[in-house]
């Protein structure tokens, strides 16, 4: 059984920073891509940032230069450092991870979501 536990959301003023973390617990062989998504009311979940197993990164255009995704393979965590936050960054943020098991994969797992609210 794999569980993803997110932390780090909250309320911040525009221009401020937050750091989200997601830890993957359980028994498995390896982790593939690790991603952060966000979703607002009535909207589809959108990809914010991705980091591959070899460390390559990709960002949604609106967060480039402001957000930084990183991973710690030893600790089985992925983080999202969010700087220069804007009110339009307000959403629920979800981590998504691809997990490889001895019998196959990658299988997709989602975190429970963490609220980020940026006040103007």
């Amino acid at each position: 059984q794999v569980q993803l536990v997110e932390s780090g959301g909250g309320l911040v003023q525009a221009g401020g920073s937050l750091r989200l973390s997601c830890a993957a617990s359980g028994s498995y062989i390896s982790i593939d891509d690790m991603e952060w998504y966000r979703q607002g009311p009535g909207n589809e979940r959108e990809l914010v940032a991705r980091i591959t197993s070899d460390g390559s990164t990709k960002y949604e255009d609106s967060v480039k230069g402001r957000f930084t995704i990183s991973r710690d393979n030893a600790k089985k965590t992925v983080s999202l450092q969010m700087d220069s936050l804007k009110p339009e960054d307000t959403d629920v943020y979800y981590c998504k991870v691809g997990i490889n098991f001895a019998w196959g994969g990658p299988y997709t797992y989602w975190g429970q979501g963490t609220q980020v609210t940026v006040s103007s």
Side-chain angles (χ1 to χ4, degrees), residues 6-99:
E6 300 179 24
S7 60
L11 172 64
V12 66
Q13 288 189 332
S17 299
L18 284 174
R19 184 177 180 86
L20 307 182
S21 292
C22 174
S25 64
S27 180
Y28 48 85
I29 298 297
S30 64
I31 301 175
D32 274 8
D33 293 355
M34 307 182 84
E35 299 168 312
W36 286 96
Y37 282 73
R38 62 187 179 187
Q39 185 174 27
N43 296 331
E44 292 188 357
R45 200 168 289 188
E46 66 170 1
L47 176 66
V48 176
R50 171 187 296 132
I51 185 166
T52 65
S53 57
D54 64 0
S56 298
T57 58
K58 176 181 178 179
Y59 296 93
E60 192 270 326
D61 286 345
S62 70
V63 308
K64 286 180 180 177
R66 300 189 298 121
F67 290 11
T68 304
I69 190 170
S70 60
R71 62 190 286 167
D72 186 327
N73 292 326
K75 295 182 178 179
K76 302 175 182 179
T77 59
V78 59
S79 297
L80 186 69
Q81 177 66 39
M82 304 185 294
D83 298 319
S84 302
L85 282 161
K86 304 176 181 179
E88 50 264 42
D89 294 319
T90 296
D91 266 329
V92 178
Y93 285 70
Y94 299 88
C95 64
K96 175 187 170 187
V97 173
I99 300 288

